[in-house]
């Protein structure tokens, strides 16, 4: 394996760790909120006497985290192409960590009334802004240090963050559920999961502050090719790349929401299973994903990335029609198996996704373009998914409509793959510091 000029193996490993640890923190935050929204926050922050209404309200704040992402993508994506990747990633890490820590200190509805819900929404919004600015930079941090021929593998560092964060959050919550009584957990124990983010922030800052700027950005700055208005330039010159990058994320986002967030509500309300069983099943699936993200990223370097992505999309569209009949009997083993398979399929999409999206854009606009594609996709994919899934199930009372919803999201991703391009051979062969600026 070769490394780009100006970057030794130690810097490459450090960049990979920095990318992984930062996204793991931010998805730990999102996963902790997701579990709490599905099982607890409806009662604590949105009490109404109607379980469905409380769950929908809690999922609404889950969606706000996605809806805030485009703002983060615009603000931090622009800064990433103008002032550099490293500085922006320190800002996003701090914002996410502080917001999550404050959720752990937040008074509930029983203490301050409706103000509790308002404050929760504000902090959730801040989480979303941070994640919107984090992803594009985290992907570039590792991929711009690594060999372009192995872009799928190096860019997958940021993709390991979601299952790592999900595993950690569900592990912490499961542990709290085991050592605390249900009353203690619902009263104050859940706060510990959010307060622990301070430890993860400290570790992430220690890694990122020791890192140098990426070789690619250094080369762009030295050539004085940094864009002055990257957002408008992407909108003007790279619209097809933006649409393609956004659409290829829709199916993975809906798949992930269905099998890690909504499934927790479904198994409790429809199957009569316990919250602990759901968290355990998601933990098992997330643990399996940890090794599969870089594996599928590496596989996408050896075969056509779009073709691999298409196979994963087809599998995602089919799996709900197998999963729901399979778990109808309430078996934990079948539930765990079904979630594991779903997250393996998700890994086949998510592992190569970072490389697929970033290589749609020219290097000088890559932070902005990737961030906008990532965050816009969240608005139409991940943000409404738990809400729509809950509403569809309540409306028709049957699981098949959930499968149809995922099938429609897969169709959008297929359109995105058709619009996407494969990188030219000279882009892949050239050292990272000499990548050509695409027109």
């Amino acid at each position: 394996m070769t490394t780009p000029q100006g970057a030794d193996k130690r810097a490459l490993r450090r960049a990979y760790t920095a990318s992984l640890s930062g996204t793991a923190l931010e998805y730990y935050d999102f996963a902790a909120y997701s579990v709490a929204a599905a099982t607890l926050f409806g009662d604590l922050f949105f009490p109404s006497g109607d379980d469905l209404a409380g769950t929908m309200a809690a999922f609404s704040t889950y969606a706000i985290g996605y809806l805030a992402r485009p703002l983060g993508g615009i603000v931090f994506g622009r800064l990433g192409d103008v002032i550099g990747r490293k500085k922006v990633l320190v800002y996003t890490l701090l914002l996410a960590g502080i917001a999550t820590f404050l959720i752990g200190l937040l008074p509930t509805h029983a203490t301050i009334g409706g103000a509790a819900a308002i404050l929760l929404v504000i902090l959730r919004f801040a989480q979303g802004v941070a994640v919107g600015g984090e992803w594009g930079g985290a992907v570039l941090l590792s991929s711009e240090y690594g060999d372009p021929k192995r872009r799928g593998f190096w860019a997958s560092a940021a993709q390991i963050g979601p299952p790592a964060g999900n595993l950690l959050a569900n592990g912490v919550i499961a542990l709290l559920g085991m050592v605390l009584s249900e009353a203690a957990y619902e009263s104050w124990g859940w706060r510990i999961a959010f307060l622990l983010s301070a430890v993860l922030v400290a570790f992430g800052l220690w890694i990122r502050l020791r890192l140098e700027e990426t070789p690619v950005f250094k080369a762009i700055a030295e050539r004085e090719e940094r864009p002055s208005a990257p957002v408008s330039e992407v909108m003007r010159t790279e619209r097809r790349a933006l649409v393609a990058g956004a659409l290829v994320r829709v199916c993975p986002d809906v798949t992930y929401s269905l099998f890690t967030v909504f499934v927790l509500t479904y198994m409790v309300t429809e199957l009569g299973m316990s919250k602990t069983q759901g968290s355990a099943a998601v933990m098992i699936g997330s643990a399996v994903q940890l090794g599969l993200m870089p594996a599928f990223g590496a596989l996408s370097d050896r075969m056509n990335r779009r073709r691999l992505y298409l196979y994963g999309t087809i599998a995602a569209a089919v799996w709900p029609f197998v999963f729901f009949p399979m778990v109808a009997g309430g078996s934990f083993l079948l539930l765990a198996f079904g979630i594991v398979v779903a997250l393996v399929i998700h890994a086949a999409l998510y592992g190569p996704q970072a490389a697929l999206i970033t290589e749609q854009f020219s290097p000088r606009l890559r932070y902005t373009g990737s961030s906008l594609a990532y965050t816009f996709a969240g608005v139409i994919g991940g943000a409404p998914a738990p809400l729509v899934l809950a509403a569809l199930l309540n409306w028709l009372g049957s699981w098949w409509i959930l499968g149809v919803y995922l099938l429609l999201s897969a169709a959008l991703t297929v359109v995105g793959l058709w619009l996407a391009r494969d990188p030219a051979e000279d882009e892949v062969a050239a050292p990272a510091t000499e990548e050509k600026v695409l027109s």
Side-chain angles (χ1 to χ4, degrees):
M1 184 193 72
T2 60
T3 56
Q5 297 174 0
D8 59 20
K9 291 183 179 180
R10 180 179 298 177
L12 180 54
R13 288 194 297 267
R14 191 176 295 166
Y16 193 88
T17 303
S19 177
L20 192 160
S21 61
T23 51
L25 164 69
E26 302 206 18
Y27 277 89
Y28 170 87
D29 299 343
F30 253 60
Y33 186 92
S34 298
V35 175
T39 61
L40 193 64
F41 278 1
D43 294 330
L44 292 179
F45 292 94
F46 307 95
S48 66
D50 183 335
D51 290 341
L52 175 63
T55 300
M56 294 289 282
F59 278 158
S60 294
T61 55
Y62 173 86
I64 285 169
Y66 278 93
L67 295 175
R69 288 184 183 187
L71 178 60
I74 292 170
V75 173
F76 291 117
R78 178 189 181 281
L79 289 175
D81 281 327
V82 175
I83 68 174
R85 305 357 180 174
K86 173 189 169 179
K87 290 180 181 178
V88 172
L89 288 172
V90 170
Y91 302 153
T92 59
L93 186 67
L94 282 171
L95 179 58
I98 291 171
T100 304
F101 185 81
L102 291 177
I103 289 176
L105 299 176
L106 197 61
T108 64
H109 186 277
T111 304
I112 60 173
I118 295 172
L119 291 173
L120 181 64
V121 169
I122 292 172
L123 293 174
R124 181 63 175 171
F125 187 86
Q127 277 187 331
V129 170
V131 172
E134 164 76 19
W135 184 83
V139 168
L140 298 184
L141 196 62
S142 56
S143 65
E144 289 185 347
Y145 267 99
D147 182 356
K149 293 180 182 178
R150 301 191 64 197
R151 182 180 290 147
F153 172 76
W154 291 116
S156 71
Q159 308 302 82
I160 302 173
N166 204 351
L167 180 63
L168 185 58
N170 278 279
V172 168
I173 290 170
L175 179 62
L176 291 172
M178 287 189 292
V179 301
L180 298 175
S181 67
E182 186 172 353
Y185 174 73
E186 293 181 356
S187 175
W188 56 269
W190 63 271
R191 298 181 183 277
I192 296 174
F194 292 87
L195 297 176
L196 282 176
S197 66
V199 178
L200 299 176
V201 168
F203 175 75
L205 286 176
W206 177 69
I207 293 292
R208 287 187 174 181
L209 290 173
R210 298 171 64 211
L211 194 67
E212 293 185 7
E213 188 53 79
T214 73
V216 171
F217 184 80
K218 284 182 178 179
I220 291 171
E222 288 170 4
R223 294 195 299 262
E224 298 184 352
E225 293 179 351
R226 287 180 289 182
S228 58
V231 175
S232 61
E233 192 171 341
V234 167
M235 295 293 189
R236 187 176 67 254
T237 65
E238 304 197 5
R239 287 189 295 269
R240 177 168 178 157
L242 184 60
V243 173
L247 291 182
V248 297
R249 274 191 53 86
V250 175
C251 180
D253 271 6
V254 175
T255 301
Y256 196 74
S257 294
L258 175 57
F259 289 105
T260 65
V261 180
F262 178 77
V263 72
L264 298 177
T265 298
Y266 182 86
M267 52 162 290
V268 171
T269 59
E270 300 295 321
L271 304 180
M273 301 176 73
S274 71
K275 302 173 185 177
T276 304
Q277 287 177 307
S279 295
V282 172
M283 283 176 60
I284 294 168
S286 296
V288 171
Q289 276 196 310
L290 286 177
L292 290 179
M293 293 295 187
F296 279 115
L299 180 60
S300 76
D301 291 324
R302 297 177 179 274
M303 64 180 290
N304 183 276
R305 220 181 313 274
R306 289 195 296 156
R307 184 180 300 117
L308 174 61
Y309 211 92
L310 177 62
Y311 295 156
T313 302
I314 294 170
V318 170
W319 187 241
F321 297 95
V322 178
F323 173 81
F324 286 105
M326 183 175 67
V327 302
S331 166
F332 170 74
L333 290 178
L334 290 177
L335 176 74
F337 174 75
I339 290 178
V340 167
V341 172
L343 293 184
V344 168
I345 294 169
H346 179 260
L349 293 165
Y350 208 67
Q353 184 185 95
L356 177 64
I357 292 176
T358 56
E359 65 195 9
Q360 303 304 311
F361 301 94
S362 56
R364 58 187 294 274
L365 296 172
R366 194 164 276 165
Y367 200 141
T368 301
S370 301
S371 296
L372 292 179
Y374 172 82
T375 57
F376 288 165
V379 172
I380 60 176
L387 279 170
V388 173
L389 290 166
L392 289 174
L393 184 63
N394 184 64
W395 174 41
L396 292 179
S398 177
W399 63 265
W400 67 266
I401 192 64
L402 309 179
V404 171
Y405 182 63
L406 185 50
L407 187 63
L408 292 175
S409 76
L412 290 176
T413 289
V414 170
V415 173
L417 290 171
W418 177 73
L419 291 172
R421 69 177 185 90
D422 297 320
E425 289 187 10
D426 58 348
E427 285 179 64
V428 176
T433 53
E434 298 174 5
E435 285 190 277
K436 297 174 71 175
V437 176
L438 308 173
S439 59

